[in-house]
mmCIF file of all heavy atoms in Angstrom:
data_model
loop_
_atom_site.group_PDB
_atom_site.id
_atom_site.type_symbol
_atom_site.label_atom_id
_atom_site.label_comp_id
_atom_site.label_asym_id
_atom_site.label_seq_id
_atom_site.Cartn_x
_atom_site.Cartn_y
_atom_site.Cartn_z
ATOM 1 N N SER A 181 -47.527 15.654 -43.490
ATOM 2 C CA SER A 181 -48.674 15.158 -44.233
ATOM 3 C C SER A 181 -49.321 14.003 -43.578
ATOM 4 O O SER A 181 -50.550 13.900 -43.385
ATOM 5 C CB SER A 181 -48.333 14.779 -45.663
ATOM 6 O OG SER A 181 -47.955 15.982 -46.400
ATOM 7 N N LEU A 182 -48.503 13.040 -43.148
ATOM 8 C CA LEU A 182 -49.036 11.810 -42.490
ATOM 9 C C LEU A 182 -49.757 12.146 -41.182
ATOM 10 O O LEU A 182 -50.770 11.603 -40.920
ATOM 11 C CB LEU A 182 -47.811 10.817 -42.241
ATOM 12 C CG LEU A 182 -48.300 9.479 -41.551
ATOM 13 C CD1 LEU A 182 -49.246 8.709 -42.411
ATOM 14 C CD2 LEU A 182 -47.001 8.695 -41.345
ATOM 15 N N LEU A 183 -49.135 13.087 -40.445
ATOM 16 C CA LEU A 183 -49.792 13.488 -39.177
ATOM 17 C C LEU A 183 -51.025 14.210 -39.444
ATOM 18 O O LEU A 183 -52.039 13.997 -38.708
ATOM 19 C CB LEU A 183 -48.815 14.392 -38.440
ATOM 20 C CG LEU A 183 -49.313 14.978 -37.066
ATOM 21 C CD1 LEU A 183 -49.494 13.770 -36.159
ATOM 22 C CD2 LEU A 183 -48.286 15.938 -36.580
ATOM 23 N N ALA A 184 -51.111 15.013 -40.469
ATOM 24 C CA ALA A 184 -52.378 15.771 -40.795
ATOM 25 C C ALA A 184 -53.509 14.931 -41.209
ATOM 26 O O ALA A 184 -54.638 15.120 -40.722
ATOM 27 C CB ALA A 184 -52.070 16.811 -41.853
ATOM 28 N N ILE A 185 -53.200 13.834 -41.988
ATOM 29 C CA ILE A 185 -54.322 13.036 -42.510
ATOM 30 C C ILE A 185 -54.740 11.863 -41.528
ATOM 31 O O ILE A 185 -55.820 11.350 -41.584
ATOM 32 C CB ILE A 185 -53.997 12.417 -43.818
ATOM 33 C CG1 ILE A 185 -52.813 11.435 -43.772
ATOM 34 C CG2 ILE A 185 -53.735 13.458 -44.869
ATOM 35 C CD1 ILE A 185 -52.526 10.780 -45.037
ATOM 36 N N SER A 186 -53.850 11.695 -40.553
ATOM 37 C CA SER A 186 -54.087 10.522 -39.598
ATOM 38 C C SER A 186 -54.528 11.001 -38.258
ATOM 39 O O SER A 186 -55.127 10.328 -37.512
ATOM 40 C CB SER A 186 -52.873 9.617 -39.504
ATOM 41 O OG SER A 186 -51.828 10.263 -38.941
ATOM 42 N N GLY A 187 -54.099 12.239 -37.855
ATOM 43 C CA GLY A 187 -54.333 12.742 -36.444
ATOM 44 C C GLY A 187 -55.651 13.560 -36.306
ATOM 45 O O GLY A 187 -55.884 13.999 -35.220
ATOM 46 N N GLY A 188 -56.293 13.916 -37.434
ATOM 47 C CA GLY A 188 -57.522 14.717 -37.318
ATOM 48 C C GLY A 188 -57.348 16.163 -37.034
ATOM 49 O O GLY A 188 -56.280 16.702 -37.173
ATOM 50 N N ARG A 189 -58.300 16.810 -36.521
ATOM 51 C CA ARG A 189 -58.323 18.246 -36.305
ATOM 52 C C ARG A 189 -57.262 18.642 -35.335
ATOM 53 O O ARG A 189 -56.565 19.662 -35.536
ATOM 54 C CB ARG A 189 -59.705 18.695 -35.774
ATOM 55 C CG ARG A 189 -59.759 20.224 -35.505
ATOM 56 C CD ARG A 189 -61.192 20.691 -35.155
ATOM 57 N NE ARG A 189 -61.155 22.068 -34.749
ATOM 58 C CZ ARG A 189 -61.214 23.077 -35.597
ATOM 59 N NH1 ARG A 189 -61.242 22.823 -36.872
ATOM 60 N NH2 ARG A 189 -61.246 24.305 -35.189
ATOM 61 N N TRP A 190 -57.092 17.914 -34.305
ATOM 62 C CA TRP A 190 -56.055 18.364 -33.259
ATOM 63 C C TRP A 190 -54.673 18.272 -33.854
ATOM 64 O O TRP A 190 -53.758 19.066 -33.491
ATOM 65 C CB TRP A 190 -56.197 17.543 -32.047
ATOM 66 C CG TRP A 190 -57.377 17.881 -31.241
ATOM 67 C CD1 TRP A 190 -58.541 17.132 -31.075
ATOM 68 C CD2 TRP A 190 -57.572 19.129 -30.536
ATOM 69 N NE1 TRP A 190 -59.480 17.778 -30.358
ATOM 70 C CE2 TRP A 190 -58.894 18.992 -29.959
ATOM 71 C CE3 TRP A 190 -56.876 20.255 -30.304
ATOM 72 C CZ2 TRP A 190 -59.559 20.011 -29.184
ATOM 73 C CZ3 TRP A 190 -57.426 21.223 -29.481
ATOM 74 C CH2 TRP A 190 -58.698 21.132 -28.989
ATOM 75 N N ALA A 191 -54.372 17.334 -34.757
ATOM 76 C CA ALA A 191 -53.124 17.317 -35.384
ATOM 77 C C ALA A 191 -52.900 18.485 -36.304
ATOM 78 O O ALA A 191 -51.788 19.093 -36.273
ATOM 79 C CB ALA A 191 -52.999 15.989 -36.120
ATOM 80 N N VAL A 192 -53.871 18.835 -36.998
ATOM 81 C CA VAL A 192 -53.853 19.978 -37.894
ATOM 82 C C VAL A 192 -53.581 21.278 -37.077
ATOM 83 O O VAL A 192 -52.757 22.123 -37.408
ATOM 84 C CB VAL A 192 -55.084 20.162 -38.784
ATOM 85 C CG1 VAL A 192 -55.149 21.452 -39.475
ATOM 86 C CG2 VAL A 192 -55.252 19.023 -39.707
ATOM 87 N N LEU A 193 -54.353 21.453 -35.964
ATOM 88 C CA LEU A 193 -54.110 22.521 -35.064
ATOM 89 C C LEU A 193 -52.742 22.566 -34.562
ATOM 90 O O LEU A 193 -52.041 23.625 -34.454
ATOM 91 C CB LEU A 193 -55.142 22.512 -33.955
ATOM 92 C CG LEU A 193 -56.576 22.919 -34.302
ATOM 93 C CD1 LEU A 193 -57.492 22.574 -33.094
ATOM 94 C CD2 LEU A 193 -56.704 24.375 -34.589
ATOM 95 N N GLY A 194 -52.132 21.428 -34.214
ATOM 96 C CA GLY A 194 -50.815 21.390 -33.722
ATOM 97 C C GLY A 194 -49.756 21.811 -34.767
ATOM 98 O O GLY A 194 -48.878 22.577 -34.469
ATOM 99 N N ILE A 195 -49.953 21.372 -35.972
ATOM 100 C CA ILE A 195 -49.049 21.767 -37.064
ATOM 101 C C ILE A 195 -49.180 23.273 -37.287
ATOM 102 O O ILE A 195 -48.140 23.917 -37.473
ATOM 103 C CB ILE A 195 -49.454 21.016 -38.361
ATOM 104 C CG1 ILE A 195 -49.117 19.475 -38.248
ATOM 105 C CG2 ILE A 195 -48.710 21.591 -39.566
ATOM 106 C CD1 ILE A 195 -49.610 18.651 -39.340
ATOM 107 N N LEU A 196 -50.389 23.726 -37.298
ATOM 108 C CA LEU A 196 -50.538 25.224 -37.529
ATOM 109 C C LEU A 196 -49.962 26.011 -36.402
ATOM 110 O O LEU A 196 -49.315 26.982 -36.606
ATOM 111 C CB LEU A 196 -52.011 25.558 -37.639
ATOM 112 C CG LEU A 196 -52.717 24.997 -38.979
ATOM 113 C CD1 LEU A 196 -54.217 25.408 -38.870
ATOM 114 C CD2 LEU A 196 -52.179 25.667 -40.220
ATOM 115 N N PHE A 197 -50.218 25.618 -35.175
ATOM 116 C CA PHE A 197 -49.701 26.328 -33.995
ATOM 117 C C PHE A 197 -48.171 26.459 -34.003
ATOM 118 O O PHE A 197 -47.634 27.567 -33.886
ATOM 119 C CB PHE A 197 -50.134 25.601 -32.678
ATOM 120 C CG PHE A 197 -49.477 26.193 -31.485
ATOM 121 C CD1 PHE A 197 -49.761 27.388 -31.005
ATOM 122 C CD2 PHE A 197 -48.576 25.380 -30.872
ATOM 123 C CE1 PHE A 197 -49.163 27.904 -29.847
ATOM 124 C CE2 PHE A 197 -47.897 25.886 -29.697
ATOM 125 C CZ PHE A 197 -48.179 27.122 -29.193
ATOM 126 N N VAL A 198 -47.460 25.326 -34.172
ATOM 127 C CA VAL A 198 -46.030 25.275 -34.225
ATOM 128 C C VAL A 198 -45.453 26.253 -35.241
ATOM 129 O O VAL A 198 -44.627 27.043 -34.985
ATOM 130 C CB VAL A 198 -45.525 23.888 -34.375
ATOM 131 C CG1 VAL A 198 -44.058 23.848 -34.720
ATOM 132 C CG2 VAL A 198 -45.831 22.998 -33.136
ATOM 133 N N HIS A 199 -46.018 26.198 -36.427
ATOM 134 C CA HIS A 199 -45.442 26.920 -37.570
ATOM 135 C C HIS A 199 -45.882 28.367 -37.458
ATOM 136 O O HIS A 199 -45.132 29.207 -37.930
ATOM 137 C CB HIS A 199 -45.842 26.296 -38.922
ATOM 138 C CG HIS A 199 -45.164 25.020 -39.182
ATOM 139 N ND1 HIS A 199 -45.636 23.736 -38.764
ATOM 140 C CD2 HIS A 199 -43.981 24.699 -39.700
ATOM 141 C CE1 HIS A 199 -44.765 22.861 -39.130
ATOM 142 N NE2 HIS A 199 -43.775 23.392 -39.707
ATOM 143 N N LEU A 200 -47.034 28.664 -36.924
ATOM 144 C CA LEU A 200 -47.428 30.013 -36.787
ATOM 145 C C LEU A 200 -46.591 30.770 -35.720
ATOM 146 O O LEU A 200 -46.310 31.955 -35.934
ATOM 147 C CB LEU A 200 -48.986 30.168 -36.447
ATOM 148 C CG LEU A 200 -49.958 29.817 -37.556
ATOM 149 C CD1 LEU A 200 -51.265 29.867 -37.110
ATOM 150 C CD2 LEU A 200 -49.722 30.801 -38.692
ATOM 151 N N VAL A 201 -46.300 30.105 -34.645
ATOM 152 C CA VAL A 201 -45.368 30.562 -33.652
ATOM 153 C C VAL A 201 -44.002 30.939 -34.313
ATOM 154 O O VAL A 201 -43.385 32.026 -34.051
ATOM 155 C CB VAL A 201 -45.259 29.718 -32.441
ATOM 156 C CG1 VAL A 201 -44.078 30.216 -31.589
ATOM 157 C CG2 VAL A 201 -46.550 29.641 -31.630
ATOM 158 N N LEU A 202 -43.509 29.986 -35.033
ATOM 159 C CA LEU A 202 -42.293 30.269 -35.720
ATOM 160 C C LEU A 202 -42.334 31.329 -36.715
ATOM 161 O O LEU A 202 -41.333 32.104 -36.821
ATOM 162 C CB LEU A 202 -41.754 28.926 -36.415
ATOM 163 C CG LEU A 202 -41.405 27.784 -35.515
ATOM 164 C CD1 LEU A 202 -41.077 26.571 -36.325
ATOM 165 C CD2 LEU A 202 -40.232 28.140 -34.582
ATOM 166 N N ALA A 203 -43.446 31.455 -37.414
ATOM 167 C CA ALA A 203 -43.624 32.596 -38.368
ATOM 168 C C ALA A 203 -43.649 33.949 -37.689
ATOM 169 O O ALA A 203 -43.070 34.925 -38.159
ATOM 170 C CB ALA A 203 -44.953 32.357 -39.165
ATOM 171 N N VAL A 204 -44.278 34.013 -36.456
ATOM 172 C CA VAL A 204 -44.264 35.279 -35.706
ATOM 173 C C VAL A 204 -42.830 35.609 -35.261
ATOM 174 O O VAL A 204 -42.335 36.704 -35.459
ATOM 175 C CB VAL A 204 -45.205 35.115 -34.515
ATOM 176 C CG1 VAL A 204 -44.949 36.313 -33.580
ATOM 177 C CG2 VAL A 204 -46.598 35.050 -34.881
ATOM 178 N N GLU A 205 -42.141 34.507 -34.899
ATOM 179 C CA GLU A 205 -40.645 34.743 -34.374
ATOM 180 C C GLU A 205 -39.816 35.239 -35.578
ATOM 181 O O GLU A 205 -38.839 36.054 -35.352
ATOM 182 C CB GLU A 205 -40.137 33.410 -33.803
ATOM 183 C CG GLU A 205 -40.771 33.026 -32.501
ATOM 184 C CD GLU A 205 -40.189 33.804 -31.304
ATOM 185 O OE1 GLU A 205 -39.388 34.642 -31.492
ATOM 186 O OE2 GLU A 205 -40.847 33.613 -30.233
ATOM 187 N N GLY A 206 -40.129 34.715 -36.730
ATOM 188 C CA GLY A 206 -39.345 35.115 -37.939
ATOM 189 C C GLY A 206 -39.769 36.449 -38.536
ATOM 190 O O GLY A 206 -38.901 37.311 -38.777
ATOM 191 N N LEU A 207 -40.984 36.463 -38.866
ATOM 192 C CA LEU A 207 -41.525 37.714 -39.605
ATOM 193 C C LEU A 207 -41.645 38.949 -38.714
ATOM 194 O O LEU A 207 -41.408 40.068 -39.214
ATOM 195 C CB LEU A 207 -42.839 37.392 -40.278
ATOM 196 C CG LEU A 207 -42.764 36.259 -41.282
ATOM 197 C CD1 LEU A 207 -44.259 35.920 -41.732
ATOM 198 C CD2 LEU A 207 -41.948 36.601 -42.501
ATOM 199 N N LEU A 208 -42.052 38.706 -37.486
ATOM 200 C CA LEU A 208 -42.169 39.834 -36.557
ATOM 201 C C LEU A 208 -41.188 39.783 -35.409
ATOM 202 O O LEU A 208 -41.529 39.945 -34.230
ATOM 203 C CB LEU A 208 -43.699 39.733 -35.937
ATOM 204 C CG LEU A 208 -44.848 39.749 -36.996
ATOM 205 C CD1 LEU A 208 -46.131 39.628 -36.275
ATOM 206 C CD2 LEU A 208 -44.793 41.049 -37.817
ATOM 207 N N TRP A 209 -40.001 39.524 -35.761
ATOM 208 C CA TRP A 209 -38.905 39.194 -34.784
ATOM 209 C C TRP A 209 -38.647 40.327 -33.801
ATOM 210 O O TRP A 209 -38.408 40.155 -32.633
ATOM 211 C CB TRP A 209 -37.648 38.847 -35.449
ATOM 212 C CG TRP A 209 -37.006 39.840 -36.268
ATOM 213 C CD1 TRP A 209 -37.265 40.240 -37.544
ATOM 214 C CD2 TRP A 209 -35.890 40.761 -35.871
ATOM 215 N NE1 TRP A 209 -36.508 41.275 -37.953
ATOM 216 C CE2 TRP A 209 -35.589 41.600 -36.979
ATOM 217 C CE3 TRP A 209 -35.202 40.766 -34.734
ATOM 218 C CZ2 TRP A 209 -34.612 42.551 -36.906
ATOM 219 C CZ3 TRP A 209 -34.165 41.785 -34.657
ATOM 220 C CH2 TRP A 209 -33.930 42.657 -35.816
ATOM 221 N N ARG A 210 -38.754 41.628 -34.284
ATOM 222 C CA ARG A 210 -38.547 42.684 -33.359
ATOM 223 C C ARG A 210 -39.644 42.737 -32.194
ATOM 224 O O ARG A 210 -39.308 42.903 -31.117
ATOM 225 C CB ARG A 210 -38.484 44.036 -34.095
ATOM 226 C CG ARG A 210 -37.227 44.208 -34.984
ATOM 227 C CD ARG A 210 -37.306 45.607 -35.598
ATOM 228 N NE ARG A 210 -36.257 45.795 -36.584
ATOM 229 C CZ ARG A 210 -34.945 46.095 -36.228
ATOM 230 N NH1 ARG A 210 -34.639 46.281 -35.004
ATOM 231 N NH2 ARG A 210 -34.036 46.270 -37.149
ATOM 232 N N ALA A 211 -40.854 42.603 -32.631
ATOM 233 C CA ALA A 211 -41.994 42.542 -31.701
ATOM 234 C C ALA A 211 -41.867 41.300 -30.771
ATOM 235 O O ALA A 211 -42.163 41.363 -29.547
ATOM 236 C CB ALA A 211 -43.274 42.646 -32.393
ATOM 237 N N ALA A 212 -41.530 40.198 -31.430
ATOM 238 C CA ALA A 212 -41.449 38.956 -30.610
ATOM 239 C C ALA A 212 -40.368 39.009 -29.624
ATOM 240 O O ALA A 212 -40.482 38.505 -28.460
ATOM 241 C CB ALA A 212 -41.206 37.754 -31.539
ATOM 242 N N ARG A 213 -39.249 39.720 -29.928
ATOM 243 C CA ARG A 213 -38.192 39.810 -28.880
ATOM 244 C C ARG A 213 -38.509 40.649 -27.646
ATOM 245 O O ARG A 213 -38.121 40.303 -26.572
ATOM 246 C CB ARG A 213 -36.944 40.467 -29.671
ATOM 247 C CG ARG A 213 -36.278 39.662 -30.668
ATOM 248 C CD ARG A 213 -35.346 38.598 -30.017
ATOM 249 N NE ARG A 213 -34.722 37.764 -31.063
ATOM 250 C CZ ARG A 213 -33.573 38.103 -31.699
ATOM 251 N NH1 ARG A 213 -32.955 39.284 -31.388
ATOM 252 N NH2 ARG A 213 -33.084 37.331 -32.488
ATOM 253 N N VAL A 214 -39.290 41.626 -27.829
ATOM 254 C CA VAL A 214 -39.642 42.401 -26.687
ATOM 255 C C VAL A 214 -40.966 42.021 -26.040
ATOM 256 O O VAL A 214 -41.326 42.521 -24.887
ATOM 257 C CB VAL A 214 -39.829 43.953 -27.111
ATOM 258 C CG1 VAL A 214 -38.462 44.428 -27.660
ATOM 259 C CG2 VAL A 214 -40.925 44.176 -28.148
ATOM 260 N N SER A 215 -41.664 41.114 -26.602
ATOM 261 C CA SER A 215 -42.932 40.553 -26.050
ATOM 262 C C SER A 215 -42.574 39.331 -25.148
ATOM 263 O O SER A 215 -41.474 38.764 -25.272
ATOM 264 C CB SER A 215 -43.900 40.191 -27.236
ATOM 265 O OG SER A 215 -45.080 39.653 -26.640
ATOM 266 N N SER A 216 -43.563 38.784 -24.431
ATOM 267 C CA SER A 216 -43.372 37.557 -23.680
ATOM 268 C C SER A 216 -43.711 36.393 -24.521
ATOM 269 O O SER A 216 -44.466 36.482 -25.463
ATOM 270 C CB SER A 216 -44.300 37.595 -22.471
ATOM 271 O OG SER A 216 -45.628 37.428 -22.813
ATOM 272 N N ASP A 217 -43.079 35.298 -24.174
ATOM 273 C CA ASP A 217 -43.307 34.010 -25.001
ATOM 274 C C ASP A 217 -44.780 33.636 -24.830
ATOM 275 O O ASP A 217 -45.337 33.204 -25.908
ATOM 276 C CB ASP A 217 -42.413 32.899 -24.430
ATOM 277 C CG ASP A 217 -40.975 33.140 -24.697
ATOM 278 O OD1 ASP A 217 -40.660 33.776 -25.616
ATOM 279 O OD2 ASP A 217 -40.153 32.461 -23.998
ATOM 280 N N VAL A 218 -45.425 33.792 -23.709
ATOM 281 C CA VAL A 218 -46.807 33.413 -23.624
ATOM 282 C C VAL A 218 -47.784 34.190 -24.609
ATOM 283 O O VAL A 218 -48.505 33.623 -25.191
ATOM 284 C CB VAL A 218 -47.321 33.702 -22.174
ATOM 285 C CG1 VAL A 218 -48.721 33.411 -22.039
ATOM 286 C CG2 VAL A 218 -46.448 32.834 -21.136
ATOM 287 N N LEU A 219 -47.462 35.493 -24.844
ATOM 288 C CA LEU A 219 -48.281 36.265 -25.790
ATOM 289 C C LEU A 219 -48.085 35.804 -27.130
ATOM 290 O O LEU A 219 -49.017 35.712 -27.915
ATOM 291 C CB LEU A 219 -47.863 37.813 -25.673
ATOM 292 C CG LEU A 219 -48.326 38.533 -24.414
ATOM 293 C CD1 LEU A 219 -47.890 39.966 -24.423
ATOM 294 C CD2 LEU A 219 -49.844 38.566 -24.288
ATOM 295 N N VAL A 220 -46.840 35.429 -27.489
ATOM 296 C CA VAL A 220 -46.550 34.834 -28.864
ATOM 297 C C VAL A 220 -47.313 33.476 -29.009
ATOM 298 O O VAL A 220 -47.882 33.216 -30.080
ATOM 299 C CB VAL A 220 -45.015 34.664 -29.094
ATOM 300 C CG1 VAL A 220 -44.816 33.987 -30.440
ATOM 301 C CG2 VAL A 220 -44.379 35.986 -29.154
ATOM 302 N N TRP A 221 -47.205 32.634 -27.947
ATOM 303 C CA TRP A 221 -47.946 31.388 -28.032
ATOM 304 C C TRP A 221 -49.502 31.591 -28.162
ATOM 305 O O TRP A 221 -50.107 30.851 -28.922
ATOM 306 C CB TRP A 221 -47.634 30.496 -26.730
ATOM 307 C CG TRP A 221 -46.136 30.260 -26.665
ATOM 308 C CD1 TRP A 221 -45.155 30.204 -27.612
ATOM 309 C CD2 TRP A 221 -45.605 29.874 -25.413
ATOM 310 N NE1 TRP A 221 -43.941 29.924 -27.161
ATOM 311 C CE2 TRP A 221 -44.118 29.686 -25.776
ATOM 312 C CE3 TRP A 221 -45.840 29.727 -24.084
ATOM 313 C CZ2 TRP A 221 -43.166 29.388 -24.804
ATOM 314 C CZ3 TRP A 221 -44.985 29.413 -23.166
ATOM 315 C CH2 TRP A 221 -43.575 29.188 -23.474
ATOM 316 N N LEU A 222 -49.991 32.571 -27.429
ATOM 317 C CA LEU A 222 -51.418 32.749 -27.523
ATOM 318 C C LEU A 222 -51.867 33.324 -28.817
ATOM 319 O O LEU A 222 -52.877 32.911 -29.373
ATOM 320 C CB LEU A 222 -51.791 33.819 -26.467
ATOM 321 C CG LEU A 222 -51.828 33.369 -25.010
ATOM 322 C CD1 LEU A 222 -52.156 34.524 -23.982
ATOM 323 C CD2 LEU A 222 -52.877 32.240 -24.779
ATOM 324 N N LEU A 223 -51.007 34.178 -29.421
ATOM 325 C CA LEU A 223 -51.234 34.691 -30.784
ATOM 326 C C LEU A 223 -51.259 33.392 -31.839
ATOM 327 O O LEU A 223 -52.139 33.336 -32.615
ATOM 328 C CB LEU A 223 -50.296 35.678 -31.245
ATOM 329 C CG LEU A 223 -50.319 36.219 -32.679
ATOM 330 C CD1 LEU A 223 -51.635 36.849 -32.792
ATOM 331 C CD2 LEU A 223 -49.192 37.211 -32.887
ATOM 332 N N GLY A 224 -50.227 32.614 -31.676
ATOM 333 C CA GLY A 224 -50.158 31.467 -32.482
ATOM 334 C C GLY A 224 -51.375 30.522 -32.354
ATOM 335 O O GLY A 224 -51.799 29.994 -33.408
ATOM 336 N N ALA A 225 -51.769 30.270 -31.114
ATOM 337 C CA ALA A 225 -52.853 29.328 -30.891
ATOM 338 C C ALA A 225 -54.173 29.894 -31.399
ATOM 339 O O ALA A 225 -55.000 29.199 -32.051
ATOM 340 C CB ALA A 225 -52.961 29.095 -29.389
#
């Protein structure tokens, strides 16, 4: 919360990126395992 309100848009994007990558790894774990890390990062970004 502190990072989100003090860091502006880029901080919000960072929070979203990290957690969306983790969500892909968890919810779509079968696809994430056979895919490349770069594709997962691009999807999260």
